[in-house]
Amino acid sequence: MEPQSAMVLELADAALQAVEPISQRTAAWQAFARCAVPQLGLGSFARLVALLQQYGPDEDAELAVLLWQGKITQQVAALKAVQRLRHLVAFLQSQGITDAASWLQWRDSVDAQAVVHGASHQEPDTVNALLWHLDSVRCDVPWVLTFARRVLGQAPAYGHIMLAVQEMAEAMNLSAKALARRIAWHERLFQALGDVPELRLAWWRCVKRTLQTQLTNATAAKLQVQGVKEPLPLSLAVHLRQGQPMLTIQLPRAFGAAPAWPNLTMVQLSQQGCGSGLGLRLLLQGEGVLPAQLQLDIAKRWKAARLQQPMCERISPVKWEISCGWCDGLWNPSGMSLADVADWATDTALQVTEYVQLLKGMLRREAIK
């Protein structure tokens, strides 16, 4: 997610602070982050403003359903959270805040008491929400504790965590408040993704197994992660979160094929980063001559089969590659079983196989002309 989305997540967090019990507050925020944000396209403060304008105050009940996804059982509390969000957004607009950059600059430089004094005409809930964010780190503490529990694998004592944050802040020449805000900012983004590295690894391994089964003549298959600079020998599951996974399958040249005959020699599937959208890129690389007319025919054939539009690139007179990309749904494995993840991976691998078989068929026909 981008910083713009992080701002929206933070405002939703502020709007939900009055919801009790905490379990409902957490469930409502997760539903907002993992469902409402992608469904409603709330990727920026401007989009949130537009949504609130589309629904009038008399439609707050409808808006509560869309935003909190039914996770708040008390309708009064759900409506109050929507109204609080409206007031927060309106106040920020009155301060000239239009995006994440201006929000961060204003939030980190403003005097909390001066803001509250200037907002005396605002609704009490708005003032309370502003104080919650500006006058202390109370809003960030739950996220700092969540971060520590996730990273350490256990729930350390509150005092120990706050002491550790203080020591880290001093080493980084930051205030403890600034560091807590930074941790909370990134932890919200992480939790919004609902990522489970072990299931992500299971997804890629299932794709690998399925493709090896489908492409019986493969000579090698390797799953690796690009862009990881971590010097420690961390697990592949952890590396998947830090870099771009890539599965490469090598194929042999056709037996007896002339050097000029087009042959598919490599199939590569990769993901660009660890985000909410499973953005995949398929790269098919080959050797031999790939005539211009054949490139046009491939594009037409893929379009007829309702596949993604291919991009052909000539690397050398006898080496070429064809690539395409697609977004294979939302990566939200925290709500999925291992069987669901495996089914999804198998479907994706079969899609890749369809691209490969169509291309191989056209190359074969070209070779026997």
Side-chain angles (χ1 to χ4, degrees):
M1 285 190 176
E2 299 297 326
Q4 296 288 352
S5 297
M7 177 186 179
V8 173
L9 297 177
E10 189 167 354
L11 292 177
D13 185 28
L16 290 165
Q17 286 301 327
V19 174
E20 296 290 347
I22 294 178
S23 58
Q24 281 195 25
R25 182 192 314 164
T26 302
W29 184 88
Q30 288 179 340
F32 173 84
R34 300 175 184 178
C35 301
V37 168
Q39 288 171 2
L40 302 174
L42 300 178
S44 67
F45 181 63
R47 281 290 303 138
L48 178 61
V49 170
L51 178 70
L52 295 177
Q53 290 174 345
Q54 291 168 9
Y55 288 82
D58 58 334
E59 297 177 293
D60 278 354
E62 287 289 304
L63 200 53
V65 173
L66 291 174
L67 295 178
W68 319 132
Q69 306 277 310
K71 299 299 182 180
I72 303 176
T73 56
Q74 297 293 327
Q75 187 177 22
V76 173
L79 291 175
K80 188 174 182 179
V82 173
Q83 293 160 4
R84 193 171 186 174
L85 182 62
R86 283 190 184 277
H87 296 153
L88 277 171
V89 168
F91 177 77
L92 294 183
Q93 286 182 294
S94 72
Q95 299 296 307
I97 295 171
T98 58
D99 55 21
S102 56
W103 159 246
L104 291 174
Q105 183 179 8
W106 178 84
R107 189 191 66 176
D108 292 339
S109 62
V110 75
D111 178 78
Q113 295 301 328
V115 169
V116 173
H117 178 73
S120 58
H121 62 287
Q122 296 286 335
E123 294 286 337
D125 279 346
T126 304
V127 176
N128 290 336
L130 289 169
L131 273 175
W132 187 270
H133 270 275
L134 301 176
D135 200 29
S136 71
V137 295
R138 288 177 297 171
C139 63
D140 298 323
V141 167
W143 296 104
V144 173
L145 296 177
T146 300
F147 166 78
R149 185 166 54 249
R150 174 173 63 82
V151 172
L152 300 176
Q154 59 183 356
Y158 168 83
H160 293 164
I161 290 299
M162 292 302 105
L163 180 60
V165 169
Q166 180 67 47
E167 292 179 350
M168 285 189 295
E170 291 176 358
M172 298 170 66
N173 292 321
L174 294 172
S175 67
K177 180 178 179 180
L179 180 57
R181 279 181 170 174
R182 185 175 298 183
I183 293 173
W185 178 274
H186 289 286
E187 186 62 18
R188 284 191 195 94
L189 284 176
F190 177 85
Q191 294 296 334
L193 296 178
D195 191 31
V196 180
E198 291 74 17
L199 290 182
R200 187 180 289 270
L201 179 57
W203 189 92
W204 278 100
R205 283 177 170 167
C206 184
V207 170
K208 179 182 178 181
R209 287 194 303 270
T210 305
L211 285 176
Q212 285 180 297
T213 301
Q214 296 293 317
L215 306 176
T216 55
N217 64 335
T219 58
K222 183 178 182 181
L223 175 61
Q224 58 187 336
V225 182
Q226 302 293 315
V228 177
K229 299 180 180 179
E230 175 60 58
L232 298 177
L234 300 177
S235 68
L236 183 58
V238 175
H239 280 174
L240 281 173
R241 181 186 293 157
Q242 300 178 356
Q244 292 80 46
M246 178 182 295
L247 174 62
T248 303
I249 297 178
Q250 300 289 344
L251 302 174
R253 282 186 59 86
F255 180 75
W261 289 0
N263 269 268
L264 179 62
T265 58
M266 187 187 77
V267 178
Q268 189 177 84
L269 184 68
S270 60
Q271 181 189 352
Q272 304 303 309
C274 172
S276 57
L278 187 56
L280 298 173
R281 180 175 183 264
L282 176 62
L283 176 67
L284 304 175
Q285 194 174 91
E287 298 176 354
V289 178
L290 195 68
Q293 185 58 52
L294 178 57
Q295 295 181 36
L296 297 180
D297 292 342
I298 291 171
K300 291 178 182 178
R301 182 68 184 88
W302 283 21
K303 183 177 181 180
R306 296 186 177 182
L307 302 181
Q308 297 296 322
Q309 188 70 17
M311 184 180 75
C312 301
E313 184 174 355
R314 183 180 181 183
I315 301 175
S316 73
V318 290
K319 194 170 185 179
W320 48 267
E321 62 183 32
I322 300 173
S323 62
C324 66
W326 74 89
C327 185
D328 197 10
L330 292 176
W331 179 254
N332 189 15
S334 59
M336 300 176 70
S337 67
L338 183 59
D340 291 336
V341 171
D343 289 343
W344 183 8
T346 301
D347 289 342
T348 302
L350 292 177
Q351 288 183 59
V352 172
T353 303
E354 185 178 3
Y355 282 89
V356 172
Q357 297 301 346
L358 274 175
L359 179 60
K360 290 177 71 173
M362 298 191 72
L363 296 180
R364 193 177 300 115
R365 286 193 293 272
E366 178 70 17
I368 62 177
K369 280 185 178 179

